[in-house]
Amino acid sequence: MTETLPPLLAADEPPSYSIENAHGASPFFFTCDHAGRRIPSALGDLGLGERELQRHIAWDIGAAGVMSRLAARLDAFAIAQTYSRLVVDCNRPLESPTLITPHSERTDVPGNESLSAAQRQQRIDAVFRPYHARIEAELDARRSAGRPTILVTVHSFTPVYLDVARPWQVGILYHRDARLAHALLRLIRAEGEWVVGDNEPYSVSDTSDYAIPVYGTQRGLANVELEIRQDLIAEADGQAAWAERVAAWLPKAGSAAGLL
Ligand SMILES: [Zn+2]
């Protein structure tokens, strides 16, 4: 007999996503997969202390604050995922071994070890599916309306990973469609002020990522993944400064790439 479990989220817990500028007129379309660090109360603290749950392993520090300001500046639709990536990582394919990761950097996540199929499914149903269903619905509606869409997925990275310091302030990540990414790289390098990563500190692949392969490549939408270093955007003033910068770069790069 297949085990079934009740819904993961209690009636008083927030949905798995929040939206800003639902009617934003811009072609730019923002997603933030690792915006939140909330854990559904049914999962306790996943066996981690509050200190661990505030670290980068639980969420993308500062990314939601940057995206929110960017969306306001550009009058663009934005969607942010509410729950910690440790509950279920919304930028992984369902088959990925790190979809519900039992280890992150050097931290074991006891609440993610030895999950039953039903427990895994419960997380997917509560968080992953509604978040992605909302993105799909929005992209479908824009396509039906003949509205152009340029996907920008916003992330942040830890300044030090496994003891190695990362030199970049910002990373421009892309996979098969590099139109916007290459235009951004040219523009940012031309300013002469930034150490910018070209598919650094990560690269995008079909097996390690979801948004770019599924919404960019499969739907044929121009796209880029932005990664900003967390120490620069941990506080509101840094988030505002980076949002200002990126809000200037995106339309220029989009025009240079012939997308606007
Ligand atoms: Zn991220």
Side-chain angles (χ1 to χ4, degrees):
M1 203 176 84
T2 314
E3 182 196 9
T4 51
L5 293 170
L8 182 61
L9 303 184
D12 61 350
E13 289 185 292
S16 73
Y17 59 83
S18 59
I19 287 175
E20 293 182 47
N21 281 328
H23 304 290
S26 171
F28 289 106
F29 181 100
F30 292 100
T31 63
C32 193
D33 301 328
H34 303 142
R37 62 182 191 90
R38 216 183 150 98
I39 312 277
S41 56
L43 300 179
D45 58 8
L46 292 173
L48 299 171
E50 183 55 25
R51 212 182 123 261
E52 299 291 352
L53 293 176
Q54 286 183 17
R55 289 178 57 223
H56 72 94
I57 62 168
W59 63 318
D60 279 3
I61 294 164
V66 172
M67 180 180 77
S68 180
R69 289 166 173 81
L70 258 173
R73 273 294 307 270
L74 295 175
D75 187 27
F77 178 97
I79 182 167
Q81 208 282 108
T82 310
Y83 290 89
S84 171
R85 72 196 314 169
L86 297 176
V87 175
V88 59
D89 191 329
C90 286
N91 190 34
R92 294 286 181 274
L94 290 174
E95 313 73 49
S96 167
T98 58
L99 177 75
I100 302 173
T101 193
H103 314 283
S104 184
E105 202 173 350
R106 291 194 180 105
T107 303
D108 289 334
V109 186
N112 286 352
E113 284 164 13
S114 314
L115 296 184
S116 68
Q119 286 173 312
R120 293 179 64 83
Q121 195 60 45
Q122 192 191 36
R123 302 221 195 156
I124 292 165
D125 292 345
V127 177
F128 188 98
R129 290 228 189 270
Y131 172 66
H132 286 297
R134 184 65 186 83
I135 294 173
E136 284 162 22
E138 193 68 23
L139 293 176
D140 287 348
R142 292 170 76 106
R143 185 166 56 195
S144 299
R147 288 187 58 192
T149 297
I150 301 171
L151 173 71
V152 180
T153 177
V154 181
H155 293 260
S156 69
F157 61 95
T158 181
V160 178
Y161 185 75
L162 294 173
D163 302 326
V164 178
R166 289 160 152 177
W168 317 277
Q169 287 107 351
V170 58
I172 302 299
L173 278 57
Y174 51 94
H175 194 205
R176 294 186 177 90
D177 178 351
R179 289 174 293 171
L180 181 58
H182 283 170
L184 275 167
L185 284 166
R186 275 192 294 274
L187 185 68
I188 298 169
R189 285 179 180 139
E191 291 190 358
E193 287 184 54
W194 312 108
V195 182
V196 53
D198 178 340
N199 268 335
E200 297 280 8
Y202 311 106
S203 58
V204 178
S205 74
D206 293 328
T207 52
S208 61
D209 291 79
Y210 192 89
I212 298 291
V214 173
Y215 300 130
T217 307
Q218 290 178 23
R219 283 181 180 255
L221 299 178
N223 62 81
V224 72
E225 179 171 333
L226 288 177
E227 290 272 0
I228 305 173
R229 209 175 64 205
Q230 287 168 359
D231 56 309
L232 306 173
I233 55 170
E235 307 295 338
D237 55 349
Q239 293 165 16
W242 276 89
E244 194 78 10
R245 226 160 258 148
V246 176
W249 289 338
L250 282 174
K252 282 186 203 164
S255 295
L259 301 168
L260 293 173

